[in-house]
Amino acid sequence: MKFFIDSADLKAIQDVKAMGMCDGVTTNPSLMAKAGRTDTDALLKEICRLVQGPVSGEVTALDADGMVAEGRRLAKLDDHLVVKVPTTLAGLKAIAALAGDGIAVNATLVFSVNQALLVAKAGAAYVSPFVGRLDDVGEDGMQLVSDVLEVYDNYDLETEVIVASVRHPMHVVDAALLGAHIATIPPEVIPKLVAHPLTDKGLAGFMADWAKLQGRGA
Ligand code: G3P
């Protein structure tokens, strides 16, 4: 499973990349606002240069023509730029037009199987079901991922599934067990994936025994 980092924080992305865990990046207007840089095009270019993999930058227009114009402009920033488009009626038109231009599109804010089916038919390269936000309202986010993977498999649809709105380690485990192509993970979740109390306890034991051995030699 590919790991994308769900962040526009260059330093955080750099840290995760240094661990070999950054195959790509996803951003959205909220993450851009959190990063606090108003030169958003320059920031996206810097992220692309650093990551050398797919980097999603989201359109902010709400009408199809506006999304297409913005998407075409964003796509010119870097070869790695993936245009993120919301899954609305206007979004479907924009996805079809941008995909027709050969531009990779990530269809975002996906909460149903039908939305995922439509964006794949429109030509999106990626689909982003938001598992955490579904869990938040009492639905089962991972069930949606499972259903989308099954439907795509039924029709050999090549759109890659990005498990998005990841909140905790079990989302990553479940995404991998289901065979999702990608999980986009907030940087703060990465340390939780590696942490285990038995690793810490085991290491403390090894270090204590090693110190005893050194004491014997002295
Ligand atoms: O990429 C967008 C998505 O992952 C948002 O996550 O935590 O704001 O629901 P969240």
Side-chain angles (χ1 to χ4, degrees):
M1 185 169 71
K2 284 176 268 184
F3 276 27
F4 286 4
I5 300 306
D6 201 25
S7 175
D9 179 337
L10 208 52
K11 170 78 179 65
I13 296 166
Q14 219 154 12
D15 280 353
V16 180
K17 186 179 154 60
M19 298 171 209
M21 296 297 148
C22 179
D23 302 307
V25 162
T26 49
T27 71
N28 62 36
S30 301
L31 291 171
M32 284 293 194
K34 197 171 159 196
R37 292 233 334 233
T38 50
D39 56 341
T40 50
D41 282 4
L43 177 55
L44 283 171
K45 278 166 113 166
E46 285 170 45
I47 297 172
C48 287
R49 209 173 311 134
L50 171 68
V51 170
Q52 296 296 311
V55 173
S56 293
E58 189 158 339
V59 299
T60 52
L62 295 177
D63 64 299
D65 288 346
M67 287 181 193
V68 172
E70 206 178 339
R72 286 181 177 146
R73 188 184 58 72
L74 286 170
K76 286 197 187 104
L77 293 177
D78 192 285
D79 286 348
H80 294 295
L81 206 295
V82 174
V83 177
K84 215 173 182 190
V85 174
T87 304
T88 58
L89 277 180
L92 287 178
K93 286 186 195 159
I95 292 167
L98 292 166
D101 287 355
I103 294 171
V105 175
N106 175 0
T108 191
L109 289 166
V110 166
F111 296 97
S112 75
V113 175
N114 279 334
Q115 287 180 319
L117 183 57
L118 264 58
V119 299
K121 285 176 70 66
Y126 303 95
V127 63
S128 291
F130 275 32
V131 295
R133 292 191 193 189
L134 278 170
D135 293 352
D136 286 348
V137 296
E139 292 189 40
D140 184 348
M142 293 315 301
Q143 186 59 50
L144 172 62
V145 172
S146 172
D147 292 345
V148 171
L149 287 167
E150 186 178 334
V151 167
Y152 282 8
D153 191 49
N154 286 345
Y155 300 102
D156 292 326
L157 294 167
E158 286 174 3
T159 305
E160 289 192 70
V161 176
I162 304 180
V163 176
S165 188
V166 163
R167 302 277 169 76
H168 51 69
M170 280 316 293
H171 278 150
V172 180
V173 172
D174 290 340
L177 286 172
L178 288 172
H181 306 89
I182 302 154
T184 189
I185 306 169
E188 58 274 15
V189 172
I190 299 286
K192 295 181 186 168
L193 303 182
V194 74
H196 198 288
L198 290 180
T199 305
D200 296 342
K201 191 179 167 198
L203 187 59
F206 289 159
M207 292 304 101
D209 291 341
W210 185 253
K212 274 185 228 154
L213 180 68
Q214 302 307 305
R216 238 180 276 160

